[in-house]
């Protein structure tokens, strides 16, 4: 093989490897980003509220408000829990219907929209059914609302 042929072969193989590496990065970076965001949210729930997301939970939607200088704001997240066991026991949820709870969540979502959060995507908006699993936790001035039904977990955090 001539010297020129070897150089062409080396350059061709190098370019092919570079293209393959770029394609692999394009394919895997969104997956890595999603996994990191999920891990980051899970750590935040553990630090702020003392619970972790159940293994198999998949993030569907996240809509925080723009936090102010102190980090206050409302974070609204929706997860797919259809492949997860019993969310009621995993998150210590009550079952039933609670009008006051629903009014609190509606008021919070209205405030969220007014604080530069905007409306959430209709596909991920929370519309309470007749019965659902739910929990409200107050920690100092911060409040956590968890709602689960139809294979979805809704987490609304209000940081004051």
């Amino acid at each position: 093989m001539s010297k020129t042929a070897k150089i062409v072969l080396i350059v061709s193989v190098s370019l092919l490897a570079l293209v393959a590496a770029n394609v692999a990065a394009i394919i895997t970076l969104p997956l890595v980003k999603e996994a990191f965001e999920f891990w980051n949210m899970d750590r935040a729930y553990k630090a702020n509220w003392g619970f972790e997301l159940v293994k198999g939970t998949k993030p569907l939607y996240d809509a925080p408000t723009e936090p102010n200088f102190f980090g206050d704001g409302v974070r609204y997240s929706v997860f797919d829990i259809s492949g997860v066991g019993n969310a009621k026991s995993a998150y210590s949820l009550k079952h039933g219907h609670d009008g006051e709870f629903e009014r609190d969540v509606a008021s919070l979502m209205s405030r969220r929209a007014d604080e530069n959060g905007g409306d959430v995507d209709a596909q991920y908006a929370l519309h309470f059914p007749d019965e659902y699993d739910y929990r409200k936790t107050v920690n100092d001035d911060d409040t956590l609302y968890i709602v689960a039904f139809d294979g979805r977990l809704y987490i609304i955090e209000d940081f004051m």
Side-chain angles (χ1 to χ4, degrees):
M1 186 181 290
S2 71
K3 186 175 183 178
T4 304
K6 287 180 183 179
I7 291 173
V8 169
L9 181 62
I10 291 171
V11 169
S12 298
V13 169
S14 297
L15 286 174
L16 186 59
L18 184 61
V19 168
N22 282 331
V23 169
I26 289 168
I27 292 170
T28 59
L29 281 178
L31 299 174
V32 169
K33 180 180 180 258
E34 182 180 304
F36 180 74
E37 287 173 352
F38 178 78
W39 175 76
N40 212 19
M41 283 192 289
D42 198 36
R43 286 187 53 200
Y45 294 141
K46 180 72 172 166
N48 294 330
W49 306 107
F51 74 89
E52 295 179 38
L53 294 169
V54 175
K55 188 174 182 153
T57 301
K58 297 178 183 132
L60 294 174
Y61 182 75
D62 187 48
T65 55
E66 286 296 321
N68 67 20
F69 179 75
F70 299 104
D72 298 350
V74 178
R75 181 176 200 100
Y76 178 83
S77 303
V78 182
F79 299 91
D80 177 3
I81 57 170
S82 58
V84 175
N86 186 353
K88 183 178 176 186
S89 63
Y91 299 108
S92 303
L93 305 177
K94 295 185 257 182
H95 181 77
H97 168 85
D98 185 330
E100 182 179 344
F101 180 86
E102 292 178 26
R103 284 188 295 279
D104 288 351
V105 169
S107 174
L108 180 60
M109 294 306 290
S110 176
R111 194 183 94 220
R112 180 199 170 282
D114 293 342
E115 293 177 352
N116 298 325
D119 291 327
V120 300
D121 289 349
Q123 178 181 358
Y124 300 106
L126 174 57
H127 301 287
F128 287 97
D130 291 338
E131 289 190 349
Y132 45 89
D133 297 325
Y134 65 99
R135 169 178 146 195
K136 177 180 178 180
T137 302
V138 179
N139 185 4
D140 296 323
D141 291 330
D142 303 330
T143 308
L144 167 74
Y145 299 87
I146 300 178
V147 181
F149 62 92
D150 293 341
R152 285 193 172 175
L153 179 72
Y154 299 82
I155 298 179
I156 305 117
E157 300 170 279
D158 182 17
F159 296 106
M160 299 296 284

